[in-house]
Amino acid sequence: MPTITIDGKQIEFKQGQTVIEVAYEAGVEIPHFCYHPKLSISGNCRVCLVEIEKMPKLAISCATLAGDGMVVHTNSAKTLEARNAVMEFILINHPLDCPICDEAGECKLQDYAYAHSRGESRFEEIKNRKEKRVQLGPRIKFDGDRCISCSRCIRFSDEIAKSNQLTFTNRGDKVTISTFPGESFDNPYSMNTVDICPVGALTNNDFRFKSRVWEMSFTDSICVGCARGCNTEIGVRNNEILRLTPRQNEEVNSFWMCDNGRLNTFKNVNAEDRIDGTFVRKEGQLQKVNWDEALEVAAKSLKEYKSGEIAFVGSAFATCEDNFVLAKLAKQLNIASVDFARHSVAGDQDDILIREDKTPNTAGAELVFTKTNGAKLEGIFRLIKEGKVKTLFVMEDDLGSINDEWEQALGMLDLLIVTATNSNKTTALADIVFPAASYAEKHGTFVNFQGRVQRIRPAVSLDEMDRALDGMNMSRWDKFGTKFDRWNQGHKYDAKPSWKILAQLSSHLGGKIKYEMAEEVFAEIANSVDAFKGLDYDEIGELGIQLKISEKVEK
Amino acid sequence: MAEKKRLKNLTFLEKMYIPEIVKGLALTLKQMLSPSVTMQYPEVKFEPPASYRGRPVLVQETNGTERCVACGLCSRVCPALAIEVQAAETELEKERYPQKFEINMLRCIFCGFCEEVCPEEAIVMSKDYELVFQNRESAIYGKDKLLVPVDELKDRIDFLRKFKK
Ligand code: SF4
Ligand code: SF4
Ligand code: SF4
Ligand code: SF4
């Protein structure tokens, strides 16, 4: 294999790799703005200049192919001088308005200015002013002053989103970004440009000014918007989700996520209609009761029916753990009719990320339900209509919203028990409602359409949890806040993960299902479902693991 | 019991005490005749110099708006976590303003870091040292209590411009 020497380190590389890539793999970060591993090389920012022996001039490492025997210096006096000069040049017209810029705290320009520039400006003339607060698209605002013309956003729109909506206009120091006449920067992936913009020129309308990034905690999670299961990071402040950003996973979503997933999969967590506490229908009204009473009423009412009159409906929105415990409780009660609803939107799919299946865990629910041989969902629906199924347990799915017939069917039941995160048509008809933890409040696993099992972790604390004791990620506010600080009084919902509710219900019914942690449920899944054999949470880790299921290999 | 050791043995005169008593009485007499410096607080109030660090306040421009851009730097630097800022967008040129700005006066230690870090000269230490509250809630000062017209803060701002680099 050919080798290259970077800062005295001998590194092997593959023919065709650029110097910046080889350096990155060896743990040497060469400063860069315009270079992005998933975009074409533009080479316009010049910050990645390095000294290469035997070359007459400094070379930009993003566009220089590594050659056998090359000797590269990324921190020599000559390189540093050039880097400082480039930084000074880029900063000439930059407004330096970090105090009002959302990027501050995670800004490449800010970091490099601190690490690599001369520290003082020699520019005494009046800075160039450009347009500010330009609504580039429905979800993105653009600040012309801050833009350093790296063209990442343009290349993203051309090469990844394939929408060709952005371009440079004007020349020299007047250059700026705009959409083509009559176009708006509106495509399903547009907001990824906010993440890759190395400065704060592109801002997320939804998150704009909501919080400084250093005030938040960040937790690795999975998007629940569709069966892709994009890897995400949940940004939380004061126990409220403020932002989702994609997390790199080359097997699933690379660096990206879609705008719908980014904006519409977290707001329900802190929404007004969140179910907070347990409810039992008394005199026609759902009334708040304590957990023991609700569990007692649920157990007592379930006992009044024969197992043939009861059906259980799981959910592709719930984790494998939730569905597994549901199937187990069904077995304890001898209930054969166990299934879950599919939520596919035909045609709403592309070859980038978005999938027709709008749930995160259809594959997982299928895997843990395989052994049942009672009625499927259609059958359950028919049995309800025929009056044969009188009792339904619905976990985390809004069957009442599938269509009017389902809503009617639910109305015909004698007893409807649900676990749900938010109020919906199904909870409105229910006799007993248990508040379910959302995906951002529990541990668990989802299996995406490729058959990849991935973990979710709690980012928002429930009433029964404690950030410190439960090992959740904490911001500085979380660490030092007391109950007297208004910035530490974010509401904690009185909810539990569905698997826990089911396990407690089981013991009220005289069963032996008992788990303390989601991890224990998963251990049992790993023991009893072939596809999960030998896995545990540590093994799945941050990036998930491909299950050995033959028919799913699609990427 | 061990014998007590003196650092210094008293001389004969000192052992007599009388000269020491005279010295003491002379001092008392001197103080009685010199002018009094005690202030009759609260009837008379101490007017601190510009360098004094009283409670931190927000600068209110002559047009009534706050100078603060809600950058949150004061909140970040505050060693006592006394400050909470919630930003929001404004049509003004500064783009953002503090929708909520609260200082918990029970947490504040009057260090002046917030004033030092502020990029806008929007939070300054005032001369106000009279802080009275009867419960924790009322110790949290919102914008209503924090905003002070810029004219009233001239002393401090001049001081800062002279000495703050
Ligand atoms: S808006 Fe951002 S990503 Fe686009 S060219 Fe300017 S600095 Fe680069
Ligand atoms: S593609 Fe699917 S999983 Fe990915 S962000 Fe969009 S909705 Fe979420
Ligand atoms: S004076 Fe010090 S303790 Fe008080 S608010 Fe300012 S930074 Fe915090
Ligand atoms: S540092 Fe100054 S501008 Fe920033 S939030 Fe505090 S008072 Fe406002």
Side-chain angles (χ1 to χ4, degrees), chain B residues 58 68-74 101 118-120 122-123:
Chain B
L58 285 178
C68 170
V69 296
C71 68
L73 294 186
C74 51
F101 198 112
C118 179
E120 300 291 326
I123 189 167

Side-chain angles (χ1 to χ4, degrees), chain A residues 97-102 129 132-133 141 143 146 208-212 214-215 237-238 476-477 480-482 484-487 489, chain B residues 69-73 75-78 81 83-96 102 104 107 119 136-137 140:
Chain A
D97 58 349
C98 312
I100 57 165
C101 176
D102 262 355
R129 297 301 304 269
K132 295 177 98 67
R133 291 200 258 192
K141 272 207 181 87
D143 185 307
R146 289 181 194 148
R208 210 170 138 87
F209 303 161
K210 286 230 175 92
S211 172
R212 311 269 26 193
W214 56 81
E215 292 169 353
R237 192 189 63 176
N238 197 8
R476 180 162 162 266
W477 299 107
F480 300 110
T482 69
F484 303 113
D485 293 302
R486 291 196 191 144
W487 38 263
Q489 292 170 357
Chain B
V69 296
C71 68
L73 294 186
S75 169
R76 177 64 186 85
V77 79
C78 178
L81 288 96
I83 307 180
E84 180 187 6
V85 188
Q86 177 60 58
E89 186 138 12
T90 154
E91 288 311 310
L92 299 174
E93 202 202 340
K94 65 178 183 177
E95 292 192 34
R96 44 194 281 162
E102 288 179 350
N104 186 338
R107 275 186 174 268
R136 288 195 170 95
E137 275 301 296
I140 300 178

